[in-house]
Amino acid sequence: MKSPPSRNEPRQPLRRVVQPRKDALVKRLNRIEGQVRGIARMVTEDRYCVDILIQISALRSALDAVAMQLLEDHTQGCVKNAIRSGDGEAAIAELMEVMRKFAR
Amino acid sequence: MKSPPSRNEPRQPLRRVVQPRKDALVKRLNRIEGQVRGIARMVTEDRYCVDILIQISALRSALDAVAMQLLEDHTQGCVKNAIRSGDGEAAIAELMEVMRKFAR
Amino acid sequence: MKSPPSRNEPRQPLRRVVQPRKDALVKRLNRIEGQVRGIARMVTEDRYCVDILIQISALRSALDAVAMQLLEDHTQGCVKNAIRSGDGEAAIAELMEVMRKFAR
Amino acid sequence: MKSPPSRNEPRQPLRRVVQPRKDALVKRLNRIEGQVRGIARMVTEDRYCVDILIQISALRSALDAVAMQLLEDHTQGCVKNAIRSGDGEAAIAELMEVMRKFAR
């Protein structure tokens, strides 16, 4: 991945992409935020460890689903466009690097 | 896992366990909550998909670390006590069920 | 994925693809086969459970690496070609279905 | 985990444990060995990448099931006995180290 720009290097303009399912993604992330708050409350209220762990497992699944959605939209959008404009090699290498982060 | 109690069955009292590292766990969960909010903001601000996915991957690692901490404290506490009091079989079966949720 | 062809449907000809790093992949798979044999022998020789589990963990990592290699070569080859020939949608949907099998 | 013994340190005798479901484990590992051979043949026969990846995914699930079986038998056996004989701390720490290798 790009190492952070050194002090004197001009900062690269942030790359902007409007997610095709933006509102749905934000809604799901807000729900996940609420789930995290709920888990913190369970710890505060001394709930049984296994009950808390089951909630964390459900939270992870929700997070994985958001990640897979983003990954699919990225591949159907940015990667496809890069391949069509002849710049597929770099886009696919970047895609694989992300895939490795989410692969077991 | 215990199936939800039927209407007329008396509700089991919630099992209470004070986590040995309770404050640290709550602090970590609050930080994770902030990370989720940050990711939602990245989607809202149309940040590049891969940058968002990298943050989700970091969030998952933080969540996994909290889960492993809880799993270790549960094993060193509840499971060990159950084994010492002769009730190890059920406690270990429950531990393995949780472990399968977190195993690849 | 394609459901198995019904009795009277003509069997689809198997799709053939020569892997770009075919010999290296076969060599790695042969080594993995040897690792599995070694683990079976450890069980037969009553080796300590944790020693066996550590070997299984190493074997999984080797298998994951082969899978990621195949996934990258598939994306750089079949998927890229499909996108260039205008059939990207289906190829990317299939790629994501495979990715979900390997995602945590 | 125990670091490998240095040259002059006397080699620790290998710890022996007879798995309670030894024959079934060896049979499953032999089947997994055959699956690996089958996947190598698919690569040799230039089978479609996605078909090979689906077989690798199935193989991983079979391997995970063997690992979980070993982990459960180890916990119900070695770990429980260590806890009963007052040596639970080290046995649980070792168990958690293995669990982390298999946790996502």
Side-chain angles (χ1 to χ4, degrees), chain A residues 1-2 14-19 21-23 25-26 29-30 32-34 36-37 39-40 42-54 56-57 59-60 63-64 66-68 70-71 73-74 78 94-95 98 101-104, chain B residues 1-2 14-19 21-23 25-26 29-30 32-34 36-37 39-40 42-54 56-57 59-60 63-64 66-68 70-71 73-74 78 94-95 98 101-104:
Chain A
M1 293 310 300
K2 285 152 266 169
L14 278 180
R15 189 169 164 176
R16 302 282 170 188
V17 174
V18 180
Q19 294 300 326
R21 293 174 262 206
K22 180 173 174 176
D23 295 344
L25 277 175
V26 173
L29 285 163
N30 292 340
I32 286 172
E33 191 191 323
V36 178
R37 235 186 336 267
I39 291 168
M42 288 178 86
V43 175
T44 308
E45 294 172 356
D46 302 328
R47 290 285 299 276
Y48 183 45
C49 332
V50 170
D51 295 340
I52 301 171
L53 282 160
I54 287 168
I56 292 179
S57 175
L59 172 60
R60 284 164 98 224
L63 202 56
D64 286 352
V66 167
M68 283 301 124
L70 266 163
L71 203 60
D73 291 344
H74 172 63
C78 308
E94 184 184 57
L95 175 65
V98 173
K101 284 185 182 294
F102 287 90
R104 306 202 241 169
Chain B
M1 296 305 300
K2 285 152 262 167
L14 279 180
R15 189 169 163 176
R16 301 284 169 185
V17 174
V18 180
Q19 294 300 325
R21 293 175 261 206
K22 180 173 174 176
D23 295 343
L25 279 174
V26 173
L29 285 164
N30 292 340
I32 286 173
E33 191 190 323
V36 177
R37 237 186 335 268
I39 291 168
M42 288 177 86
V43 175
T44 309
E45 293 171 355
D46 303 327
R47 290 285 298 277
Y48 182 45
C49 332
V50 170
D51 294 341
I52 301 172
L53 282 161
I54 287 168
I56 293 179
S57 174
L59 172 60
R60 283 165 97 222
L63 202 56
D64 286 352
V66 167
M68 281 300 124
L70 266 164
L71 203 60
D73 291 343
H74 172 64
C78 307
E94 184 183 57
L95 175 66
V98 171
K101 286 184 182 292
F102 287 89
R104 306 200 242 167

Side-chain angles (χ1 to χ4, degrees), chain D residues 39-52:
Chain D
I39 291 168
R41 201 166 44 244
M42 288 178 86
V43 175
T44 309
E45 293 171 354
D46 303 328
R47 289 284 300 275
Y48 181 46
C49 333
V50 170
D51 294 341
I52 300 172

Side-chain angles (χ1 to χ4, degrees), chain D residues 27-79:
Chain D
K27 213 180 261 175
R28 286 165 80 175
L29 285 164
N30 292 340
R31 215 178 304 135
I32 286 172
E33 191 191 323
Q35 281 178 275
V36 177
R37 238 189 331 270
I39 291 168
R41 201 166 44 244
M42 288 178 86
V43 175
T44 309
E45 293 171 354
D46 303 328
R47 289 284 300 275
Y48 181 46
C49 333
V50 170
D51 294 341
I52 300 172
L53 282 161
I54 288 169
Q55 290 306 316
I56 292 179
S57 175
L59 172 61
R60 284 164 97 224
S61 303
L63 201 57
D64 286 352
V66 167
M68 283 302 124
Q69 181 71 74
L70 266 163
L71 202 59
E72 178 143 19
D73 291 343
H74 172 64
T75 311
Q76 293 281 13
C78 306
V79 177

